[in-house]
């Protein structure tokens, strides 16, 4: 489905998943400040209260990531329909199976649905 906006960006290289996005939420601020742990943030009731978004007034600071792709890299763009259902370890395990990009994207969506599938799930996976 394509009803949500891409929220999370990941880079997967040699079995290691790197999260490129940082949520602009109150809860992420609490994590950054050391008030709560990332594990606590995953289930925090205020985790979707955002502090920056397209169309808001004031200054918006875009996230820009530069990297040099290498053979075997995988880039994952997805909505929170995926990341609210699967943690980074579960995502990495599926990416590490090294199936085709199409099959892997389908497996990510299927696994998120098995975990409850509470929101629209959009996955874009690019293999380099």
């Amino acid at each position: 489905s394509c009803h949500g906006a891409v929220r999370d960006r990941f880079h997967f290289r040699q079995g290691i998943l790197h999260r490129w996005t940082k949520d602009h939420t109150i809860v992420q601020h609490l994590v950054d400040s050391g008030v709560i742990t990332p594990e606590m943030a995953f289930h925090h009731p205020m985790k979707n209260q955002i502090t920056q978004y397209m169309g808001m007034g004031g200054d918006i600071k875009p996230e820009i990531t530069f990297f040099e792709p290498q053979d075997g890299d995988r880039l994952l763009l997805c909505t929170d329909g995926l990341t609210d259902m699967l943690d980074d370890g579960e995502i990495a395990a599926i990416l590490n199976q090294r199936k085709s990009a199409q099959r892997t994207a389908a497996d990510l969506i299927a696994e998120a649905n098995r975990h409850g599938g509470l929101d629209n799930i959009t996955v874009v996976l690019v293999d380099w």
Side-chain angles (χ1 to χ4, degrees):
S1 114
C2 284
H3 294 104
V6 169
R7 185 183 107 176
D8 294 298
R9 296 175 295 140
F10 297 90
H11 175 229
F12 187 74
R13 178 179 285 168
Q14 298 178 349
I16 300 172
L17 185 67
H18 304 276
R19 182 183 288 264
W20 278 351
T21 44
K22 186 176 200 178
D23 286 345
H24 297 281
T25 63
I26 293 169
V27 170
Q28 184 62 51
H29 179 70
L30 294 174
V31 171
D32 293 345
S33 301
V35 175
I36 63 173
T37 66
E39 293 76 23
M40 294 168 69
F42 191 75
H43 297 290
H44 197 284
M46 293 177 26
K47 72 178 183 177
N48 291 323
Q49 291 189 4
I50 58 176
T51 58
Q52 179 172 290
Y53 56 90
M54 293 293 293
M56 68 179 273
D59 293 331
I60 296 178
K61 297 178 179 88
E63 290 184 19
I64 300 171
T65 305
F66 295 97
F67 79 106
E68 291 190 31
Q70 296 178 5
D71 287 346
D73 281 1
R74 303 188 105 173
L75 304 178
L76 171 64
L77 309 176
C78 62
T79 60
D80 58 356
L82 182 75
T83 54
D84 283 352
M85 297 293 104
L86 303 179
D87 64 29
D88 289 6
E90 292 166 318
I91 292 170
I94 293 170
L95 292 173
N96 205 34
Q97 293 175 3
R98 302 309 301 184
K99 296 179 184 176
S100 71
Q102 183 176 357
R103 181 71 248 157
T104 301
D107 287 351
L108 287 165
I109 292 168
E111 190 64 18
N113 280 325
R114 275 194 287 280
H115 280 76
L118 301 177
D119 198 353
N120 295 311
I121 305 166
T122 301
V123 171
V124 176
L125 182 62
V126 178
D127 284 340
W128 192 268

